Amino acid sequence: METVVTFFNDIVWSAALVILLVVTGLYFSIRMRLFQVRYIVDMVRLMFKGGKSNDGISSFQAIAVSLAGRVGTGNIVGVSTAIFIGGPGAIFWMWLIAFLGAGSAFVESTLAQIYKQKEDGQYRGGPAYYIEKGIGGTFGKYYALLFAVVTVLACGLLLPGIQSNSISSSATNALPMIDGWMIGAFLVVILAVVIFGGIRSIANVATAVVPFMAIAYIIVAVIIVIMNIGDVPALIGLIFRSAFGLEQQFAGTVGAMIMIGVKRGLYSNEAGQGTGAHAAGAAEVSHPAKQGLVQSFSVYIDTLFVCTATALMILMTGMYNVSDGNDGLIIDNGVYQTNADGEKDVSGTVTFTQASIDSAFHGMDSFQEGFIGFGSYFIAFALLFFCYTTMLAYYYIAETNLVYMLRGRMPWLKIVLGLVLIGSAFYGTVSTADLAWQMGDLGVGLMAWINVIGILILQKPALKAFKDYERQYKLQKKGEIDEIVYTPERGEFKDHNFWVDEYPRRDEEGYSYPDRN
């Protein structure tokens, strides 16, 4: 099975996808005149605004659900893998895809708001919805269906195993007496309790857990950085020099460095992949661009904050190895994890991060496999919550696309989807990490191909909404208007007039948005 998955993965993750992601992010950034810099203060302000309704969730809940999907194993194990395969320079390429990816995240999230609909008594939005309504016709319907099918398979079956595998790996490192199947059984219970409670249940858990764990994780990283503050300038220099092959020992790995940096950057922040757009479409806001800006900031939180924190901890403590692209190592710091079959795994596992924190807090000069300290326990705890909320977000994304395909029919299939995801999570706790990552990368790559092409085709409504937001933003600054509200012309979006017919009636007593079904 691993051979088959690897074969298709190599096709999907060719250089063409890397170029497409970078060029698309650069294009949108230029078209919107580096909005990700100009509006960064507004992004933070809007994150805590936006109302709730019986049909939607708040902007903060939406970003919490998005971060639940973004902040997970990619921020800890993904960074370790990037350093192992590409060296320190891979972190620069993760930064770049995050900065440019903010443009893609804005467009897909704004489109999700423009074309959102009400189904099953709640807002639903995302690539399948805006592709069908935006492109229109037979092609639009089948292209949207393709995305929906791929997303249900990716989020419901392929991706959960990566998260649960990381939970299992970190937990067994911290508590050797625990077996993987025990972790799997525990996950089955805690996933089932929340999954079948719907988006509000998932949003409530994400809102409570994600900010707390992200802040706690960054605080630990900041403490370690302060403890080694003198090393930071040299490490930043190393990252930049390595990224362009100027560091001699990494000169031969630039191609692999860029590929793994973009791949892990996308897996971490999901910009352009379309997953964040699902939560964005569920938010209650007065203008689509508002949620686009909020979702753009979530990319920063994920990669520029959390991933950077992980990278600095690993690099400054020296708890990492770097592959030479074959079976050898360019850098061998003696860090490894013993697999269930007794073999030493020197690749970018969760051990890099656990050992880096242990090294900082316990004064370890070199890696000691048998040592279990604060880092081992803290990362096991952090991954449990990060990966748990990520799997909840995966279910919501898969369910949204399943509902899109079913259109009110066979509601029992949502239960089947939940059971499949839970089964995939259990399997991940007892499977190999290599297979789990290969399957996850395949799912991410397929979604990215379909969605990026879709947002390039549909860019006009999103860019027009951004211009409208900018126009009203200036008027609001002058005190000429109180609230920025989206009021497009009738028929601007073909047969979809949510913002013309339905949104203006939101405050009418007893009025409820009509359900698509």
Side-chain angles (χ1 to χ4, degrees), residues 288-299:
K290 289 184 176 182
Q291 199 60 34
L293 290 171
V294 169
Q295 296 301 118
S296 296
F297 189 70
S298 72
V299 174

Side-chain angles (χ1 to χ4, degrees), residues 83 86-90 92-93 233-255 257 315 320 322-323 330-331:
I83 292 173
F92 169 83
W93 297 103
L235 284 176
I236 299 298
L238 175 65
I239 290 172
F240 277 90
R241 291 195 308 274
S242 302
F244 298 99
L246 301 179
E247 191 75 19
Q248 186 175 358
Q249 61 184 329
F250 303 115
T253 64
V254 173
M257 185 185 303
L315 293 175
Y320 65 97
V322 179
S323 171
I330 297 174
I331 294 180

Side-chain angles (χ1 to χ4, degrees), residues 13 132 236 289 329 385 428:
W13 274 102
E132 179 189 340
I236 299 298
L329 296 173
F385 283 97

